[in-house]
C-alpha cells in the first residue's frame, strides 16, 4: 500500500499522559499536514511541513501540542499532559507541490480517546 | 461569520435523484476550492477541485461564484454509493492548497 499511513490507528490513554502519533507520507511527497477532527465537524488544520521545515504552527491548539519531521519523511505529533478534550481523530495528509497544483491525500487517522 | 458554512443536512434522497449542496466562505483571499467526500469513520478523499468556470466530472458538477463567495456541488442520477458526507473546502491563503479550511460537511443518504 503506497498511501499515507498512520500509527497507531487507535489510542486510549489516561488524562495527563503523553501520546505520540506517527505519520508516513506518500513517498516523495514534500508537504505533510496534521489535522484534528471531532465528531460532527470538518478537519481542523493544526500544522504543516515542507520537507523538514515546519512552515505553520500557530494553529496548534496549545503548547501541549508539538510536531516534528526530522528528516523530511515521516512525522510525529505529540500531545503532552493529555486532557479529555483532546479526544478526537488526528489526521495526517501529504502532498506533492507542483506549479499550479497540489492535492492533499489523507491517511486513515489515529483515533484518540482520553479517559 | 464562519470561515466555511454548509447546511449539515441530512439530505435523504431516492436513487436517481438530483441533489445540490451549497457552501459559502468568508475569506476573499482564498484561491483554491474543493469538494471532499468522507465516508463514515474514514478519511476525507478529494472528490473534485472547483474552478471559476465551473467544472464537471461525470455525474458531479461544481460551480464557484467568487463575487458571492459561494460554491456548489450538483450530483445527478444519485447512486446508493454516493451516501457520504460532502465537505466544502477552501484554502486559507492565496496560492496552492496549503492550509485548508473545511466546512462541517453535508450528509447525504441515498435510499433505494
Amino acid at each position: 500500500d503506497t498511501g499515507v499511513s498512520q500509527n497507531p490507528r487507535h489510542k486510549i490513554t489516561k488524562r495527563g499522559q503523553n501520546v505520540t502519533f506517527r505519520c508516513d507520507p506518500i513517498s516523495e511527497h514534500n508537504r505533510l499536514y496534521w489535522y484534528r477532527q471531532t465528531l460532527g465537524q470538518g478537519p481542523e488544520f493544526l500544522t504543516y511541513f515542507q520537507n523538514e521545515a515546519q512552515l505553520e504552527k500557530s494553529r496548534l491548539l496549545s503548547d501541549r501540542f508539538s510536531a516534528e519531521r526530522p528528516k523530511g519523511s515521516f512525522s510525529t505529533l505529540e500531545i503532552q499532559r493529555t486532557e479529555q478534550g483532546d479526544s478526537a481523530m488526528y489526521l495526517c495528509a501529504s502532498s506533492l507541490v507542483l506549479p499550479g497544483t497540489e492535492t492533499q491525500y489523507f491517511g486513515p487517522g489515529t483515533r484518540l480517546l482520553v479517559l | 461569520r464562519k470561515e466555511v458554512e454548509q447546511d449539515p443536512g441530512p439530505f435523504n434522497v431516492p436513487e436517481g435523484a438530483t441533489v445540490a449542496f451549497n457552501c459559502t466562505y468568508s475569506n476573499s483571499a482564498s484561491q483554491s476550492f474543493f469538494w471532499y467526500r468522507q465516508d463514515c469513520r474514514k478519511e476525507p478523499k478529494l472528490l473534485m477541485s472547483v474552478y471559476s468556470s465551473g467544472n464537471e466530472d461525470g455525474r458531479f458538477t461544481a460551480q464557484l461564484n467568487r463575487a458571492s463567495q459561494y460554491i456548489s456541488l450538483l450530483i445527478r442520477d444519485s447512486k446508493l454509493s454516493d451516501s457520504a458526507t460532502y465537505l466544502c473546502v477552501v484554502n486559507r491563503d492565496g496560492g496552492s492548497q496549503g492550509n485548508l479550511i473545511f466546512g462541517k460537511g453535508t450528509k447525504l443518504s441515498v435510499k433505494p
Side-chain angles (χ1 to χ4, degrees):
Chain A
D1 186 352
T2 57
V4 179
S5 62
Q6 292 188 245
N7 288 288
R9 294 291 306 276
H10 303 272
K11 178 71 176 179
I12 301 173
T13 191
K14 292 182 180 179
R15 190 174 50 188
Q17 298 294 306
N18 298 342
V19 295
T20 300
F21 309 141
R22 176 175 170 133
C23 172
D24 286 90
I26 293 172
S27 179
E28 297 179 355
H29 275 193
N30 50 6
R31 279 197 183 170
L32 187 150
Y33 298 82
W34 285 99
Y35 294 85
R36 182 181 80 155
Q37 187 173 24
T38 54
L39 196 62
Q41 304 293 317
E44 176 186 12
F45 170 83
L46 297 178
T47 187
Y48 85 104
F49 296 84
Q50 174 124 346
N51 300 312
E52 62 271 15
Q54 191 171 11
L55 298 188
E56 170 67 63
K57 56 182 179 179
S58 64
R59 293 187 179 270
L60 284 168
L61 300 163
S62 77
D63 59 7
R64 298 183 297 105
F65 287 71
S66 63
E68 292 184 346
R69 194 183 185 198
K71 297 181 180 179
S73 57
F74 75 91
S75 176
T76 56
L77 177 71
E78 181 181 16
I79 309 174
Q80 296 182 328
R81 305 181 302 282
T82 53
E83 300 173 358
Q84 288 185 323
D86 297 332
S87 297
M89 172 76 89
Y90 290 85
L91 292 160
C92 173
S94 72
S95 69
L96 177 63
V97 179
L98 296 172
T101 183
E102 179 189 0
T103 299
Q104 294 185 26
Y105 296 89
F106 283 81
T110 295
R111 191 173 295 277
L112 173 66
L113 177 61
V114 182
L115 301 176
Chain B
R1 181 180 179 184
K2 291 184 179 176
E3 292 182 292
V4 178
E5 288 199 73
Q6 297 181 249
D7 180 345
F11 284 61
N12 297 309
V13 303
E15 270 187 291
T18 295
V19 61
F21 306 138
N22 303 318
C23 164
T24 56
Y25 62 96
S26 61
N27 185 1
S28 59
S30 294
Q31 295 293 321
S32 300
F33 310 91
F34 313 91
W35 285 99
Y36 274 72
R37 168 192 169 132
Q38 187 169 28
D39 292 290
C40 189
R41 302 184 74 82
K42 298 285 190 179
E43 71 272 22
K45 293 185 178 178
L46 179 66
L47 178 66
M48 59 197 301
S49 300
V50 186
Y51 302 114
S52 296
S53 54
N55 48 298
E56 188 174 306
D57 182 1
R59 298 181 294 108
F60 299 85
T61 300
Q63 298 278 353
L64 168 64
N65 184 323
R66 286 184 186 271
S68 302
Q69 295 180 204
Y70 171 96
I71 306 164
S72 66
L73 177 68
L74 183 76
I75 306 175
R76 291 182 299 278
D77 187 23
S78 51
K79 312 291 185 191
L80 296 177
S81 57
D82 294 334
S83 296
T85 295
Y86 291 82
L87 299 162
C88 177
V89 187
V90 306
N91 73 333
R92 193 178 303 277
D93 308 304
S96 62
Q97 279 203 6
N99 177 346
L100 296 178
I101 310 168
F102 286 77
K104 290 185 177 182
T106 299
K107 187 172 182 179
L108 171 66
S109 181
V110 182
K111 306 292 187 185

